[in-house]
Structures are given as structure tokens and as C-alpha cells.
Amino acid sequence: MARSHEITVNGQSFVARRGELLLDAALNNGIDLPYDCRAGHCGTCCVRLVSGEVQGGEGSEPGIVHACQCRIVGDAVLEKDQPSSVRTVEGVVSSLRPLSREVMEVSIKTNRALPYHAGQYAQVHFRGYPSRPFSITHPLRGNPNSRSVCFHVRRMKNGRVSSSLGKRIKPGHRVELTGPYGSAHFRPNLDSRLILVATNTGFAPIWSIAIAALREDPERTMTIIAGGRSIESLYMVPALVQLARFPNVLVVPVCSTRQTLSRAVKPGRPTDYLPGLLPTDVLYACGAPGMVDSIKSIAAQVGAVCYADPFLPTTKDTIEESVLTRAMGWLPVITTRRRMGLLALDRPRNRREQPMLTYRMPEAQVHRRAEAEAHRRAEAQVRRRAEAEAHRRAEAQARRRAEAEAHRRAEAEVRRRAEAEVLRRAEAEVLRRAEADVQMTAEAEAHRRAVAEVQRRAEAQARRRAEAQAHRRAEAEARRRAEAQARRRAEAQARRRAEAQSYRRAEAQAHRAEAQAHRMADAEAFGMADAQVFRMADARVGSHYRS
């Protein structure tokens, strides 16, 4: 197995050891790869895996890995999707407006614009204080401009920065902003349903994402779940009221402790009110790490995209006691100058001691030695007391650590059970959806068969009608043909009869003509004789009358 592998980032290649973090390897080889949290949450160091493989560090999208979390296990080619747009701008605090007893809205007027996507955050460095990451948001009242940046800051007890807001940090205080950071930002031009979940000041980026989505499409389908430990933690109620006015926006305020002020605030946790998820849904979760992890787990089970921004506590946010202060606390209170002198323990001594004299020592020397012995005994007693006190405090600290460990384990067990319950509910929901899908599929199949049967019957009826129509047309055609045939036959018969009649008439006429001719010939033959007779008769008659 090779101990080193070739890694290529944006066309620049280098050799890295197997098992090394990708971010460390890139930085050690001069690759300018931006990063911020080093915990796999901000998304600043996310890169796209083009080929090869790495171990761990999977991002919210396929092929995206967190360079600060994945380790090198082979040759790989990676690309940074977009060049870093991180910049540093200077400004002053323009306003401090308390939103609740814990949350302060901080507005900063910058000397130049700080472009960012809704949901990203910036490193805020108040002059004289350490830098802190805060999510950029939209003011609850009014509209921001390009030279103004707004944050929601939760004031922590003994916080080095947040506890000074309104006290030492006032309007006009110099500020330096570096950013933007974070990959859990709004993606435009998507038609998917948005599900936004936030707890406490995690509502700051969620509020910004919701406004960006509704500005893009006021008819956007969106579910917003805002949670808090107590009713006082729901500082975002005015914003929720504004969001609830949109037609397709569902707002669910949640409080983990019991309250009787409003029925609109639901009891429980935000995960208890998640709608039925679909693979096409897009989720944004910001706030408590436990809640964010639960949302990511539920989204991963159904294949939905989830952009997460857990708000991790700053380990250096409180003023810690120095080692000397803690050590002084272990020792008993010493008020006298004599006892203060007893604290000079382990003073350097000469390695070579004076030999013991065998002669009788003077009384003053005996007195000095007695005082030295008393001093050594006092030092030993103080040392023993200090060791006993240190031992007692160490035991108390060990006991507190054991109790803390037990408490942590109990919380982990409770969290594990809660996650198991969430998983069980998610599995039940998936099973219910699967059964519903099967039922819908069966109903769809039955509907399809019914439609097919109706269509078949309609086709059969249409076919029968067509056949009947064709039969009627054939009968009519046959009838017309028969009538035409009969008519033709009748006409032919009539024609034959007419021809025969005319032939007979012609023959009869010929016979009559011939007979007439014969008669006329006969008459003519007899006529001459008759005429002679008549003339002779006329002559006789005439002569008679004349006489």
C-alpha cells in the first residue's frame, strides 16, 4: 500500500501522506484553500471531488467534501467550485437595539459594501475584543442598505464580547468585518419546497433566507419552525407575524418548556413538527448542534437536501482564571507577615553544609538552630497542609469531572434515545408513506384498469355501432342496387315491350297497308268494272229523267 498519493486541486498537484487531512496537506504545499471553522460546519473549505477517493467529510451535496474533515486515502483530483470572495471591511457600530433580555440587534455601518448570500456569516472583530462569528441577517424593522450589516447577538453570562454590548461597546465603536463564510446559504431559482428550522439566534440566518426566498417568489411554499428553550427566547415573534402573512408560508413557533401565554406556541422540540419530507424538499437548519444533527439525519433518510449551520459555543468566550489564581485558591488564607514568610518554600540552599561542631555551641547559636528547626517544621506543616488541600481539591475536581462525565453520558443517552425515537418516527413515517405509496399505486392501477375497461367497452360499443352503421349502409346500398337493378330490368322490359309493341304496330300497319293495297288493287280491279256499270246505270237513269 502506497504511503503517499498525488493530489490535484484546481490544476495544482502535490504529494501528500496517506491519512493526512486534505486541508492541512493543501496548506502545507502552498495551496491557498480558504477555511474558517475547521469543524466541518461553515462550508468555507468545501471542494468538489472530480476523481479518486477520500475518506469522510461528506458535504450536503453529492461529490462535495469538507477539506478540513476528509483524509487522503488515494490519488484524487479536486476542484474549488468558486473562488473565495472573502474580504475585510471596516466600520462602526451604528445602533444597538435589544430584541429581548438575551438578544441584541447590532447594526454596523461599513466603509464599503460587503457582498454576501442570505444565510452566510462573518467574523466580527470589535476593537479591543477577540473576533467572533455572527450570522448576517435582516433587521426586524426597516430595510438594510449596501453599507449596513445587521447581526443578532445573544448576550452570554461572563462573555468577553457579548456581555460588553451596550456597556463598553456602544454606537461609534470601531469594528472590522471579515467574510462572508458558510455554505448554508440560499440557492435561488429553485422550485422546491423550503423547510427552515431554527433555534434561538439561529433564526438570524433563517430570517435572511426566508426574506430572500419570498423576494424571489412571494408565492413560494415554505414551512418555518422557530424554537426556543423558553417563551422569552422567541424574540423573533414580530418577524414570524410578518412571514405568516404570505399565503403559502406556514409558521410554527415551538417552546421546549411549558407555557400558558399563547396557544399558537407549540410545546416540544422543532423536530416534533417537521412535515412529511420528500426527496425534492430543501431544508435549512440553524441553531443548537443537537437539533441540527437531528434535522440532517432525518433529511438524509428521505434523500432531501439539507444545509446546516450549527451554532457551536465559543470555548474562549468566558474569562478564565489563571493558573496562579487557581493555585492561590487551594492554599489557606494567610494574614500575618510571619505566615506570609512561611510561603517561601523550597528556598535554595548551599549544596555543601557546614560540618557539625563537637564542642559546645554558644547559646545564641542554639537559639538560632532552634528557630531554624521551628521554621523547617512550620514549612513542612504548611507544605503538608498545602498538599492535603491540593489533594482534597484534586479529589473534588475528579469528583466533579466524574459527575460531569456521568451527566454527559446521561445527556448522551437521552440524546441517543431521542435520536432513536426520531429515527423510529422517521422509519414509521417512511413505512407509512411506503404503504400510502403502495395504496396509491394500487388505486392508480385499479383506476387505470377501470379506465381501460371503460375505454375497451367504449371501443367495443363504437365498433358495434360502426358495424351496425356499416351493415345498415350495406343493406341500404344493396337495397339501392336491387332497386336500381329492378328499375333497369323494368325499363329494359318496358323498352322491349315498347319495341315489341311498335314492332307489332309496324307489322300491323304494314299488314293493314298491304291489305289496303290489296283492297285498293282489288277495288281498282273491280272499280273499273263498277264504274262502267255505274256509268251505264247513270246513263240509263239520266235518260229516264231527261225523258
Side-chain angles (χ1 to χ4, degrees), residues 210-473:
I211 290 179
L214 292 174
R215 282 180 175 174
E216 182 186 48
D217 182 10
E219 303 294 328
R220 188 69 174 266
T221 302
M222 187 185 309
T223 300
I224 302 174
I225 305 175
R229 186 180 301 275
S230 61
I231 193 69
E232 291 80 7
S233 301
L234 300 179
Y235 73 93
M236 70 292 294
V237 170
L240 297 179
V241 172
Q242 298 180 44
L243 294 173
R245 295 173 182 171
F246 289 85
N248 296 325
V249 175
L250 174 63
V251 174
V252 183
V254 181
C255 182
S256 59
T257 58
R258 295 183 60 85
Q259 57 84 29
T260 58
L261 294 179
S262 175
R263 294 183 179 180
V265 180
K266 306 297 182 183
R269 300 180 181 275
T271 51
D272 299 335
Y273 298 94
L274 278 178
L277 299 182
L278 299 174
T280 57
D281 292 335
V282 177
L283 289 84
Y284 289 87
C286 303
M291 181 276 295
V292 172
D293 292 340
S294 299
I295 297 295
K296 291 172 61 177
S297 176
I298 295 173
Q301 292 175 7
V302 298
V305 177
C306 180
Y307 299 103
D309 186 9
F311 282 19
L312 300 175
T314 304
T315 57
K316 299 181 180 180
D317 194 43
T318 58
I319 304 175
E320 298 180 356
E321 295 180 321
S322 64
V323 176
L324 179 60
T325 304
R326 291 196 300 268
M328 290 295 295
W330 296 341
L331 298 178
V333 178
I334 302 175
T335 58
T336 65
R337 180 177 298 181
R338 179 179 177 84
R339 292 187 177 180
M340 287 292 293
L342 298 179
L343 289 178
L345 304 180
D346 296 330
R347 289 177 297 181
R349 300 178 181 179
N350 295 330
R351 302 176 70 84
R352 183 176 300 174
E353 297 182 355
Q354 296 294 331
M356 184 176 298
L357 298 179
T358 57
Y359 56 86
R360 185 176 179 179
M361 293 179 293
E363 184 177 355
Q365 188 175 2
V366 172
H367 183 68
R368 285 194 303 271
R369 291 198 175 185
E371 287 182 351
E373 183 66 23
H375 183 68
R376 283 195 300 271
R377 289 180 181 179
E379 287 180 348
Q381 186 176 4
V382 170
R383 189 183 301 113
R384 286 194 300 271
R385 287 181 180 178
E387 292 175 353
E389 182 66 18
H391 182 68
R392 184 184 63 80
R393 291 184 178 264
E395 288 182 347
Q397 186 177 7
R399 185 166 57 251
R400 286 195 300 271
R401 289 181 178 176
E403 292 174 354
E405 180 67 18
H407 182 66
R408 186 187 63 78
R409 291 183 179 179
E411 287 182 346
E413 180 66 19
V414 171
R415 186 166 57 251
R416 186 187 62 77
R417 291 182 180 178
E419 292 175 353
E421 179 66 17
V422 170
L423 181 62
R424 185 188 64 77
R425 290 183 180 180
E427 291 177 350
E429 181 67 18
V430 171
L431 181 61
R432 184 187 65 77
R433 289 186 180 178
E435 293 176 352
D437 290 343
V438 171
Q439 184 177 1
M440 290 174 59
T441 303
E443 292 176 354
E445 181 67 20
H447 179 69
R448 186 186 63 78
R449 291 182 179 178
V451 170
E453 181 65 21
V454 171
Q455 185 177 3
R456 186 185 62 78
R457 290 181 180 179
E459 290 176 353
Q461 187 175 4
R463 187 166 55 253
R464 288 195 297 271
R465 288 181 179 176
E467 291 176 354
Q469 185 72 15
H471 184 67
R472 286 194 299 272
R473 289 180 180 176

Side-chain angles (χ1 to χ4, degrees), residues 96-106 140-141 151-156 162 165-166 199-203 227-238:
L96 296 171
R97 189 168 70 90
L99 303 178
S100 68
R101 291 188 299 178
E102 294 182 346
V103 181
M104 178 80 73
E105 185 179 78
V106 181
L140 291 185
R141 298 178 183 175
F151 304 95
H152 293 172
V153 180
R154 184 181 180 186
R155 288 182 287 190
M156 306 294 294
S162 58
L165 293 174
T199 57
N200 296 322
T201 50
F203 182 75
R229 186 180 301 275
S230 61
I231 193 69
E232 291 80 7
S233 301
L234 300 179
Y235 73 93
M236 70 292 294
V237 170

